[in-house]
Amino acid sequence: MLEWLVEWYDGVELWLVQLAYPLQVTLVLAVLLPVCWALARVVDRGIDGLGAKLTRVHDAEPPVGRQDGERSEKGTPA
């Protein structure tokens, strides 16, 4: 059913392992760093949102990344 995907992945894997080691590391980091950063951001926002909905304290400060225009106690945007 997904044989084309398996064949494509095998081809990419074979191409990658035939590269010189510094090129392998550079390529993997160029792909994995943005993917991991984006995934961490999504997880962080999801946990912040879930925590805001499940908290019992109604006057709690908003999450750090919230941009609702409110000001914090020091006068800087929240």
Side-chain angles (χ1 to χ4, degrees):
M1 182 173 166
L2 293 175
E3 289 182 30
W4 64 270
L5 181 62
V6 172
E7 290 176 15
W8 175 83
Y9 183 80
D10 284 342
V12 171
E13 182 183 23
L14 182 61
W15 172 74
L16 184 62
V17 298
Q18 290 177 348
L19 292 175
Y21 184 72
L23 292 175
Q24 290 179 5
V25 172
T26 303
L27 188 60
V28 168
L29 288 177
V31 172
L32 284 182
L33 282 177
V35 169
C36 291
W37 178 81
L39 183 61
R41 187 173 176 106
V42 167
V43 169
D44 183 52
R45 294 292 170 116
I47 296 297
D48 275 349
L50 184 63
K53 288 184 179 184
L54 295 177
T55 186
R56 294 181 184 210
V57 180
H58 296 292
D59 295 334
E61 290 186 26
V64 175
R66 187 170 173 186
Q67 298 176 355
D68 58 1
E70 293 179 6
R71 297 198 175 265
S72 65
E73 294 177 17
K74 296 181 182 178
T76 57

Coordinates of all heavy atoms in Angstrom, one line a residue:
M1 N 0.8 -1.2 0.0 CA 0.0 0.0 0.0 C 0.9 1.3 0.0 O 0.7 2.1 -0.8 CB -0.9 0.0 1.2 CG -1.9 1.1 1.3 SD -3.0 0.9 2.6 CE -3.6 2.5 2.8
L2 N 1.8 1.3 0.9 CA 2.7 2.5 1.0 C 4.1 2.1 0.5 O 5.1 2.7 1.0 CB 2.7 3.0 2.4 CG 1.5 3.6 2.9 CD1 1.6 4.0 4.4 CD2 1.0 4.8 2.1
E3 N 4.2 1.3 -0.5 CA 5.5 0.8 -0.9 C 6.3 2.0 -1.5 O 7.5 2.1 -1.4 CB 5.4 -0.3 -2.0 CG 4.9 -1.6 -1.4 CD 4.8 -2.7 -2.4 OE1 5.6 -2.6 -3.4 OE2 4.0 -3.6 -2.2
W4 N 5.6 2.9 -2.2 CA 6.3 4.1 -2.8 C 7.0 4.9 -1.7 O 8.1 5.4 -1.9 CB 5.4 4.9 -3.6 CG 4.3 5.5 -2.8 CD1 3.0 5.0 -2.5 CD2 4.3 6.8 -2.1 NE1 2.3 5.9 -1.7 CE2 3.1 7.0 -1.5 CE3 5.2 7.8 -2.0 CZ2 2.8 8.1 -0.7 CZ3 5.0 8.9 -1.3 CH2 3.7 9.1 -0.6
L5 N 6.3 5.0 -0.6 CA 6.9 5.8 0.5 C 8.1 5.1 1.1 O 9.1 5.8 1.4 CB 5.9 6.1 1.6 CG 6.3 6.9 2.8 CD1 6.7 8.3 2.4 CD2 5.2 7.0 3.9
V6 N 8.0 3.8 1.3 CA 9.1 3.0 1.8 C 10.3 3.1 0.8 O 11.5 3.3 1.3 CB 8.7 1.6 2.0 CG1 9.9 0.7 2.4 CG2 7.7 1.5 3.1
E7 N 10.1 3.0 -0.5 CA 11.1 3.1 -1.5 C 11.8 4.5 -1.5 O 13.0 4.6 -1.6 CB 10.6 2.7 -2.8 CG 10.3 1.3 -3.0 CD 9.7 1.0 -4.4 OE1 9.8 1.8 -5.3 OE2 9.1 -0.1 -4.5
W8 N 11.0 5.5 -1.4 CA 11.5 6.9 -1.3 C 12.3 7.1 -0.1 O 13.4 7.7 -0.2 CB 10.3 7.9 -1.3 CG 10.8 9.3 -1.1 CD1 11.2 10.1 -2.1 CD2 10.8 10.1 0.1 NE1 11.6 11.4 -1.6 CE2 11.4 11.3 -0.2 CE3 10.5 9.8 1.4 CZ2 11.5 12.3 0.7 CZ3 10.7 10.8 2.4 CH2 11.2 12.0 2.0
Y9 N 11.8 6.6 1.1 CA 12.6 6.8 2.3 C 13.9 6.0 2.3 O 15.0 6.5 2.7 CB 11.8 6.3 3.5 CG 12.5 6.5 4.8 CD1 12.5 7.7 5.4 CD2 13.2 5.5 5.4 CE1 13.2 7.9 6.6 CE2 13.9 5.6 6.6 CZ 13.8 6.9 7.2 OH 14.5 7.1 8.4
D10 N 13.9 4.8 1.7 CA 15.1 4.0 1.5 C 16.1 4.8 0.6 O 17.3 4.8 0.9 CB 14.8 2.7 0.9 CG 14.2 1.7 2.0 OD1 14.4 2.0 3.2 OD2 13.7 0.7 1.5
G11 N 15.7 5.4 -0.4 CA 16.5 6.2 -1.3 C 17.1 7.4 -0.6 O 18.3 7.7 -0.7
V12 N 16.3 8.1 0.2 CA 16.8 9.2 0.9 C 17.8 8.8 2.0 O 18.9 9.4 2.2 CB 15.7 10.0 1.6 CG1 16.2 11.1 2.6 CG2 14.8 10.7 0.5
E13 N 17.5 7.7 2.7 CA 18.4 7.2 3.7 C 19.8 6.7 3.1 O 20.9 7.0 3.6 CB 17.8 6.0 4.4 CG 18.6 5.4 5.5 CD 17.9 4.2 6.1 OE1 17.1 3.6 5.5 OE2 18.3 3.9 7.3
L14 N 19.7 6.1 1.9 CA 20.9 5.6 1.3 C 21.8 6.8 0.8 O 23.0 6.9 1.0 CB 20.6 4.8 0.1 CG 21.8 4.2 -0.7 CD1 22.6 3.3 0.2 CD2 21.3 3.4 -1.9
W15 N 21.1 7.9 0.3 CA 21.8 9.1 -0.1 C 22.5 9.8 1.1 O 23.6 10.2 1.0 CB 20.8 10.0 -0.8 CG 21.4 11.4 -1.1 CD1 22.3 11.7 -2.1 CD2 21.1 12.6 -0.4 NE1 22.6 13.0 -2.0 CE2 21.9 13.6 -1.0 CE3 20.3 12.9 0.7 CZ2 21.8 14.9 -0.5 CZ3 20.3 14.2 1.2 CH2 21.1 15.2 0.5
L16 N 21.8 9.8 2.2 CA 22.3 10.5 3.4 C 23.5 9.8 3.9 O 24.5 10.4 4.3 CB 21.2 10.6 4.4 CG 21.6 11.4 5.7 CD1 21.9 12.8 5.4 CD2 20.4 11.3 6.7
V17 N 23.4 8.5 4.0 CA 24.6 7.7 4.6 C 25.8 7.7 3.7 O 26.9 7.4 4.2 CB 24.2 6.3 5.0 CG1 23.1 6.3 6.1 CG2 23.8 5.4 3.8
Q18 N 25.6 8.0 2.5 CA 26.8 8.1 1.6 C 27.5 9.4 1.6 O 28.5 9.6 1.0 CB 26.3 7.7 0.1 CG 26.0 6.2 0.0 CD 25.5 5.9 -1.4 OE1 25.2 6.8 -2.2 NE2 25.4 4.6 -1.7
L19 N 26.9 10.4 2.2 CA 27.5 11.7 2.3 C 28.6 11.7 3.3 O 28.7 10.8 4.2 CB 26.5 12.8 2.8 CG 25.4 13.2 1.8 CD1 24.4 14.1 2.4 CD2 26.0 13.8 0.5
A20 N 29.5 12.6 3.3 CA 30.6 12.8 4.3 C 29.9 13.1 5.6 O 28.9 13.8 5.6 CB 31.6 13.9 3.9
Y21 N 30.6 12.7 6.7 CA 30.0 12.9 8.0 C 29.6 14.4 8.4 O 28.5 14.7 8.8 CB 30.9 12.3 9.1 CG 30.3 12.4 10.5 CD1 29.2 11.6 10.9 CD2 30.8 13.3 11.4 CE1 28.7 11.7 12.1 CE2 30.2 13.4 12.7 CZ 29.2 12.6 13.0 OH 28.6 12.7 14.3
P22 N 30.5 15.4 8.1 CA 30.1 16.8 8.4 C 28.9 17.2 7.6 O 28.1 18.0 8.1 CB 31.4 17.6 8.0 CG 32.5 16.6 8.1 CD 31.9 15.3 7.7
L23 N 28.8 16.7 6.4 CA 27.6 17.1 5.6 C 26.3 16.4 6.2 O 25.2 17.0 6.2 CB 27.7 16.7 4.1 CG 28.8 17.5 3.4 CD1 29.0 16.9 2.0 CD2 28.4 19.0 3.3
Q24 N 26.5 15.2 6.7 CA 25.3 14.5 7.3 C 24.8 15.3 8.5 O 23.6 15.5 8.7 CB 25.7 13.1 7.8 CG 25.9 12.1 6.7 CD 26.4 10.8 7.2 OE1 26.4 10.5 8.4 NE2 26.7 9.9 6.3
V25 N 25.8 15.7 9.4 CA 25.4 16.4 10.6 C 24.8 17.8 10.2 O 23.7 18.1 10.8 CB 26.7 16.6 11.5 CG1 26.4 17.6 12.6 CG2 27.2 15.3 12.0
T26 N 25.3 18.5 9.3 CA 24.8 19.8 8.9 C 23.4 19.6 8.3 O 22.5 20.4 8.7 CB 25.7 20.4 7.8 OG1 27.0 20.5 8.3 CG2 25.2 21.8 7.4
L27 N 23.2 18.6 7.5 CA 21.8 18.4 6.9 C 20.8 18.0 7.9 O 19.7 18.5 7.9 CB 21.9 17.4 5.8 CG 20.7 17.2 4.9 CD1 20.3 18.5 4.2 CD2 20.9 16.1 3.9
V28 N 21.2 17.1 8.8 CA 20.3 16.7 9.9 C 19.9 17.8 10.8 O 18.7 18.0 11.1 CB 20.8 15.5 10.6 CG1 20.0 15.2 11.9 CG2 20.9 14.2 9.7
L29 N 20.9 18.6 11.2 CA 20.6 19.8 12.0 C 19.7 20.8 11.3 O 18.9 21.4 12.0 CB 21.9 20.4 12.5 CG 22.7 19.6 13.6 CD1 24.0 20.3 13.9 CD2 21.8 19.4 14.8
A30 N 20.0 21.0 10.0 CA 19.2 22.0 9.3 C 17.7 21.6 9.2 O 16.8 22.4 9.1 CB 19.8 22.2 7.9
V31 N 17.5 20.3 9.3 CA 16.1 19.8 9.2 C 15.5 19.6 10.6 O 14.4 20.1 10.9 CB 16.0 18.4 8.5 CG1 14.7 17.8 8.6 CG2 16.4 18.6 7.0
L32 N 16.3 19.0 11.5 CA 15.7 18.7 12.8 C 15.5 19.9 13.8 O 14.6 20.0 14.5 CB 16.6 17.7 13.6 CG 16.4 16.3 13.1 CD1 17.3 15.3 13.9 CD2 15.0 15.8 13.1
L33 N 16.4 20.9 13.7 CA 16.3 22.1 14.6 C 15.0 22.8 14.4 O 14.3 23.1 15.3 CB 17.5 23.0 14.5 CG 18.8 22.5 15.2 CD1 19.9 23.4 15.0 CD2 18.5 22.4 16.7
P34 N 14.7 23.2 13.1 CA 13.4 23.9 13.0 C 12.2 23.0 13.3 O 11.2 23.5 13.9 CB 13.4 24.3 11.5 CG 14.8 24.2 11.0 CD 15.4 23.2 11.9
V35 N 12.2 21.8 13.0 CA 11.1 20.9 13.3 C 10.9 20.7 14.8 O 9.8 20.9 15.3 CB 11.3 19.5 12.7 CG1 10.3 18.5 13.2 CG2 11.2 19.6 11.2
C36 N 12.0 20.5 15.5 CA 11.9 20.4 17.0 C 11.5 21.7 17.7 O 10.7 21.8 18.6 CB 13.3 20.0 17.6 SG 13.6 18.2 17.1
W37 N 12.0 22.9 17.1 CA 11.6 24.2 17.7 C 10.1 24.4 17.5 O 9.4 24.8 18.4 CB 12.4 25.3 17.0 CG 12.0 26.6 17.4 CD1 12.4 27.3 18.5 CD2 11.1 27.5 16.8 NE1 11.8 28.5 18.6 CE2 11.0 28.7 17.5 CE3 10.4 27.4 15.6 CZ2 10.2 29.8 17.2 CZ3 9.6 28.5 15.2 CH2 9.5 29.7 16.0
A38 N 9.6 24.1 16.3 CA 8.2 24.3 16.0 C 7.3 23.4 16.9 O 6.3 23.8 17.4 CB 7.9 24.1 14.5
L39 N 7.7 22.1 17.0 CA 7.0 21.2 17.9 C 7.0 21.6 19.3 O 6.0 21.6 20.0 CB 7.6 19.8 17.7 CG 6.9 18.7 18.5 CD1 5.4 18.5 18.0 CD2 7.6 17.4 18.3
A40 N 8.1 22.1 19.8 CA 8.2 22.6 21.2 C 7.3 23.8 21.4 O 6.7 23.9 22.4 CB 9.6 22.9 21.6
R41 N 7.3 24.7 20.4 CA 6.4 25.9 20.5 C 4.9 25.5 20.6 O 4.2 26.0 21.3 CB 6.7 26.8 19.3 CG 6.0 28.1 19.4 CD 6.4 29.0 18.3 NE 5.7 30.2 18.3 CZ 6.2 31.4 18.7 NH1 7.5 31.5 19.2 NH2 5.5 32.5 18.7
V42 N 4.5 24.5 19.7 CA 3.1 24.1 19.7 C 2.8 23.4 21.1 O 1.7 23.7 21.6 CB 2.9 23.1 18.5 CG1 1.6 22.4 18.7 CG2 3.0 23.8 17.2
V43 N 3.7 22.6 21.6 CA 3.4 21.9 22.9 C 3.3 23.0 24.0 O 2.4 22.9 24.8 CB 4.5 20.8 23.2 CG1 4.4 20.4 24.6 CG2 4.4 19.7 22.2
D44 N 4.2 23.9 24.0 CA 4.2 25.0 25.0 C 2.9 25.8 25.0 O 2.3 26.0 26.0 CB 5.4 25.9 24.8 CG 5.5 26.9 25.9 OD1 5.5 26.5 27.1 OD2 5.7 28.1 25.6
R45 N 2.5 26.2 23.8 CA 1.3 27.0 23.7 C 0.1 26.1 24.1 O -0.9 26.6 24.7 CB 1.1 27.4 22.2 CG 2.1 28.5 21.8 CD 1.9 29.8 22.5 NE 3.0 30.6 22.3 CZ 2.9 31.8 21.7 NH1 1.8 32.2 21.3 NH2 4.0 32.5 21.5
G46 N 0.1 24.8 23.7 CA -1.0 24.0 24.1 C -1.1 23.8 25.6 O -2.2 23.9 26.2
I47 N 0.0 23.6 26.3 CA 0.0 23.4 27.7 C -0.4 24.7 28.4 O -1.1 24.7 29.4 CB 1.4 23.0 28.2 CG1 1.8 21.6 27.7 CG2 1.5 23.0 29.7 CD1 0.8 20.5 28.1
D48 N 0.1 25.9 27.9 CA -0.3 27.2 28.5 C -1.8 27.4 28.4 O -2.5 27.8 29.3 CB 0.4 28.3 27.7 CG 1.7 28.7 28.3 OD1 2.1 28.1 29.4 OD2 2.5 29.4 27.7
G49 N -2.4 27.0 27.2 CA -3.8 27.2 27.0 C -4.6 26.2 27.9 O -5.6 26.6 28.5
L50 N -4.2 25.0 28.0 CA -4.8 24.0 28.9 C -4.7 24.4 30.3 O -5.7 24.4 31.1 CB -4.2 22.6 28.7 CG -4.9 21.5 29.4 CD1 -6.3 21.3 28.9 CD2 -4.1 20.2 29.2
G51 N -3.6 24.9 30.7 CA -3.4 25.4 32.1 C -4.3 26.6 32.4 O -4.8 26.7 33.5
A52 N -4.5 27.5 31.5 CA -5.3 28.6 31.7 C -6.8 28.2 31.8 O -7.5 28.8 32.6 CB -5.2 29.6 30.5
K53 N -7.2 27.2 31.1 CA -8.6 26.8 31.2 C -8.8 26.0 32.5 O -10.0 26.0 33.0 CB -8.9 25.9 30.0 CG -9.1 26.8 28.7 CD -9.5 25.9 27.6 CE -9.6 26.8 26.3 NZ -10.2 26.1 25.2
L54 N -7.8 25.2 33.0 CA -8.1 24.4 34.1 C -7.7 25.0 35.4 O -7.9 24.4 36.5 CB -7.2 23.1 33.9 CG -7.6 22.2 32.7 CD1 -6.7 21.0 32.6 CD2 -9.0 21.8 32.8
T55 N -7.2 26.2 35.4 CA -6.8 26.8 36.7 C -8.0 27.2 37.5 O -9.1 27.6 37.0 CB -5.9 28.0 36.5 OG1 -5.4 28.5 37.7 CG2 -6.6 29.2 35.8
R56 N -7.9 27.2 38.8 CA -9.0 27.6 39.7 C -8.9 29.0 40.1 O -9.8 29.6 40.6 CB -9.0 26.7 41.0 CG -9.3 25.3 40.7 CD -9.3 24.5 42.0 NE -9.5 23.1 41.7 CZ -10.0 22.3 42.6 NH1 -10.4 22.7 43.7 NH2 -10.2 21.0 42.3
V57 N -7.7 29.6 39.8 CA -7.5 31.0 40.2 C -7.9 31.9 39.0 O -7.3 31.8 37.9 CB -6.0 31.3 40.5 CG1 -5.8 32.7 40.8 CG2 -5.6 30.4 41.6
H58 N -9.0 32.7 39.1 CA -9.5 33.5 38.0 C -8.7 34.7 37.8 O -8.7 35.2 36.7 CB -11.0 33.8 38.3 CG -11.8 32.6 38.4 ND1 -12.1 31.8 37.3 CD2 -12.5 32.0 39.4 CE1 -12.9 30.8 37.6 NE2 -13.2 30.9 38.9
D59 N -8.0 35.2 38.7 CA -7.2 36.4 38.6 C -5.7 36.1 38.3 O -4.9 37.0 38.5 CB -7.3 37.4 39.8 CG -8.7 37.9 40.0 OD1 -9.5 37.9 39.0 OD2 -9.1 38.1 41.1
A60 N -5.4 35.0 37.8 CA -4.0 34.6 37.6 C -3.5 35.4 36.4 O -4.2 35.8 35.5 CB -3.9 33.1 37.3
E61 N -2.2 35.6 36.4 CA -1.5 36.3 35.3 C -1.6 35.5 34.1 O -1.6 34.3 34.1 CB -0.1 36.6 35.6 CG 0.1 37.6 36.7 CD 1.6 38.0 36.9 OE1 2.4 37.8 35.9 OE2 2.0 38.4 38.0
P62 N -1.7 36.2 32.9 CA -1.8 35.4 31.6 C -0.5 34.7 31.3 O 0.5 35.2 31.9 CB -2.2 36.5 30.6 CG -1.7 37.7 31.2 CD -1.8 37.6 32.7
P63 N -0.5 33.8 30.5 CA 0.8 33.1 30.1 C 1.8 34.1 29.5 O 1.4 35.2 29.0 CB 0.4 32.1 29.0 CG -1.1 31.9 29.3 CD -1.6 33.1 29.8
V64 N 3.0 33.8 29.6 CA 4.1 34.7 29.1 C 3.9 35.2 27.7 O 4.1 36.4 27.4 CB 5.5 34.1 29.3 CG1 6.6 35.0 28.8 CG2 5.7 33.8 30.8
G65 N 3.5 34.3 26.8 CA 3.4 34.6 25.4 C 2.1 35.3 25.0 O 1.9 35.6 23.8
R66 N 1.2 35.6 25.9 CA 0.0 36.2 25.6 C 0.1 37.6 25.2 O 0.8 38.4 25.8 CB -1.0 36.1 26.8 CG -2.4 36.5 26.5 CD -3.3 36.2 27.7 NE -4.6 36.8 27.5 CZ -5.5 36.7 28.3 NH1 -5.3 36.2 29.5 NH2 -6.7 37.3 28.1
Q67 N -0.6 38.0 24.1 CA -0.5 39.4 23.6 C -1.9 40.0 23.5 O -2.4 40.2 22.5 CB 0.1 39.3 22.2 CG 1.5 38.8 22.2 CD 2.1 38.7 20.8 OE1 1.4 39.0 19.8 NE2 3.4 38.4 20.7
D68 N -2.5 40.2 24.7 CA -3.8 40.8 24.7 C -3.8 42.3 25.0 O -4.9 42.9 25.2 CB -4.7 40.0 25.8 CG -4.1 40.1 27.2 OD1 -3.0 40.8 27.3 OD2 -4.6 39.5 28.1
G69 N -2.6 42.9 25.0 CA -2.6 44.3 25.2 C -2.6 44.8 26.6 O -2.5 46.0 26.9
E70 N -2.8 43.9 27.6 CA -2.9 44.3 29.0 C -1.5 44.6 29.5 O -0.5 44.1 28.9 CB -3.5 43.1 29.8 CG -4.9 42.8 29.6 CD -5.4 41.7 30.4 OE1 -4.7 41.2 31.3 OE2 -6.6 41.3 30.2
R71 N -1.4 45.4 30.5 CA 0.0 45.7 31.0 C 0.2 45.0 32.4 O -0.8 44.7 33.1 CB 0.1 47.2 31.2 CG 0.0 47.9 29.9 CD 0.5 49.4 30.1 NE 0.5 50.0 28.8 CZ 1.5 50.1 28.0 NH1 2.7 49.5 28.3 NH2 1.5 50.7 26.9
S72 N 1.4 44.6 32.6 CA 1.7 44.0 33.9 C 1.9 45.0 34.9 O 1.8 46.2 34.7 CB 3.0 43.1 33.7 OG 4.1 43.9 33.4
E73 N 2.3 44.6 36.1 CA 2.5 45.5 37.3 C 3.6 46.5 37.0 O 3.5 47.7 37.5 CB 2.8 44.7 38.5 CG 1.6 43.9 39.0 CD 2.0 43.1 40.2 OE1 3.0 43.4 40.9 OE2 1.3 42.1 40.5
K74 N 4.6 46.2 36.3 CA 5.7 47.1 36.0 C 5.4 48.1 34.9 O 6.3 48.9 34.6 CB 7.0 46.3 35.7 CG 7.4 45.4 36.9 CD 8.6 44.7 36.5 CE 9.1 43.8 37.7 NZ 10.2 43.0 37.3
G75 N 4.3 48.0 34.2 CA 4.0 48.9 33.2 C 4.4 48.5 31.8 O 4.3 49.2 30.8
T76 N 5.0 47.3 31.7 CA 5.4 46.8 30.4 C 4.3 45.9 29.8 O 3.5 45.3 30.6 CB 6.7 46.1 30.5 OG1 6.6 45.0 31.4 CG2 7.8 47.0 30.9
P77 N 4.2 45.8 28.5 CA 3.1 44.9 28.0 C 3.3 43.5 28.5 O 4.4 43.0 28.7 CB 3.3 45.0 26.5 CG 4.1 46.3 26.3 CD 4.9 46.5 27.5
A78 N 2.2 42.8 28.7 CA 2.3 41.4 29.2 C 2.8 40.5 28.2 O 2.8 40.6 27.0 CB 0.9 41.0 29.6

